[in-house]
Amino acid sequence: MRNVRLPGVTAEPDSARRVKLAPSILASDFSRLGEELNAIAGADWAHVDVMDGQFVPNISFGLPILAAARAASSLFMDVHLMIDRPERYLKDFADAGADGLTVHVESTPHIHRAVQQIRELGKKAGVTLNPGTSLETLRPVLPEVDLVLIMSVNPGFGGQKFIPHSLERIRTVRRWLDELGSAAELQVDGGVGPTNARAVVNAGASNLVAGSAVFGRDGAQAGLERLREALK
C-alpha cells in the first residue's frame, strides 16, 4: 500500500510533527554493543549503516552485527544500505532483523523494483541519494516510500560536518511530500547535533540520525538527552 493520505487530507504541520531520533550505531563501541543499545533505549530507532567498500570508500559491517543488534534491542532497526545492487541482499537483511531498509537511487538502475521488493518483504521502504545527486531522481518513487533520507554529508565516513545547502534540499523534499499528502518520514543523516538539530527540523525533517553527537565521551544516554533538549 502506498504511504499517501486520502485526497483532501493534508500531512501534519511542522508544529504537530513529532521528531524521531535514530542514533547511528556506527559511532558506538562494538565491543559493548548490547550496553550501547541499552543506553539509547529511550530513542525511537537505531540506525544501522551498512557499507560495502564499493558504493562508498569504506567498509562498516553487515548481517552479523545487525542480527546481534536485533537480539539485544527492541528498537526499530533502520538499515541504510550503502551498497551496490542492494536487491541482492534485501531478503538477507530483512531476515537478520531490519524493520526498515533504505536504498540509494545511485546504487541500482531499478530503484522502483527495489522499493517494491522491500515492501513485499513486509518492511518499511526508504530511498536516499548522495548530496551531489539531483533531487529529481527521487520524485518517481516518492508516492511509494515510507521514508526519504537526505544525506547532509557525503556517505562513507562518520564525524563529517553538515553541508549547509542540505537545509534547502530538506525544504524542497518536505514540500513535495506535503503536496503528495504523504506521511513518509523525512530523515536527515550527517553532521546532525545539538547545534543544528532545530534548524534541520524547522526545514521539515521528522527523523534525525546522529552518531558522534550521541555516542560521546560521557555516554550515549547523555548524548541523546542533549539532542532532545536542543529540540525543545
Side-chain angles (χ1 to χ4, degrees):
M1 180 181 293
R2 296 181 180 183
N3 197 11
V4 177
R5 295 174 186 264
L6 294 173
V9 179
T10 58
E12 290 180 311
D14 290 349
S15 59
R17 192 178 296 123
R18 181 182 179 277
V19 181
K20 292 185 175 70
L21 299 184
S24 172
I25 66 171
L26 183 64
S28 70
D29 180 350
F30 290 167
S31 71
R32 301 171 49 249
L33 183 58
E35 295 174 51
E36 295 278 58
L37 284 164
N38 186 58
I40 61 166
D44 300 282
W45 293 4
H47 188 77
V48 183
D49 288 307
V50 178
M51 309 177 194
D52 65 358
Q54 297 183 54
F55 181 70
V56 292
N58 196 15
I59 297 173
S60 59
F61 47 74
L63 296 164
I65 295 294
L66 172 59
R70 172 77 291 158
S73 174
S74 61
L75 285 171
F76 183 99
M77 290 293 156
D78 172 38
V79 179
H80 175 195
L81 296 176
M82 289 171 270
I83 64 177
D84 278 329
R85 293 187 292 149
E87 306 97 313
R88 298 174 295 167
Y89 302 107
L90 294 175
K91 186 177 186 305
D92 293 326
F93 280 101
D95 290 345
D99 294 300
L101 291 160
T102 297
V103 292
H104 277 256
V105 296
E106 307 95 342
S107 68
T108 173
H110 306 293
I111 189 65
H112 188 270
R113 183 185 302 166
V115 167
Q116 286 182 319
Q117 283 182 253
I118 296 169
R119 284 190 168 278
E120 289 168 1
L121 289 165
K123 307 301 178 181
K124 297 291 186 182
V127 66
T128 187
L129 73 176
N130 296 335
T133 301
S134 170
L135 290 176
E136 290 292 335
T137 59
L138 293 174
R139 297 197 78 166
V141 293
L142 283 185
E144 311 293 336
V145 299
D146 302 289
L147 177 147
V148 180
L149 166 57
I150 298 296
M151 291 300 301
S152 45
V153 298
N154 288 294
F157 297 92
Q160 299 181 65
K161 291 185 178 180
F162 184 90
I163 298 173
H165 181 63
S166 303
L167 290 174
E168 186 56 39
R169 287 166 71 85
I170 297 165
R171 292 187 192 100
T172 298
V173 176
R174 168 50 59 201
R175 185 176 72 252
W176 290 349
L177 290 173
D178 289 349
E179 288 170 353
L180 285 170
S182 173
E185 295 280 353
L186 179 49
Q187 186 178 70
V188 179
D189 182 6
V192 175
T195 61
N196 61 8
R198 172 48 61 189
V200 171
V201 170
N202 288 346
S206 62
N207 190 303
L208 304 183
V209 176
S212 55
V214 171
F215 293 97
R217 292 182 178 179
D218 56 349
Q221 186 173 357
L224 190 61
E225 289 174 357
R226 276 193 299 273
L227 198 53
R228 286 204 186 281
E229 187 65 27
L231 292 172
K232 290 182 178 178

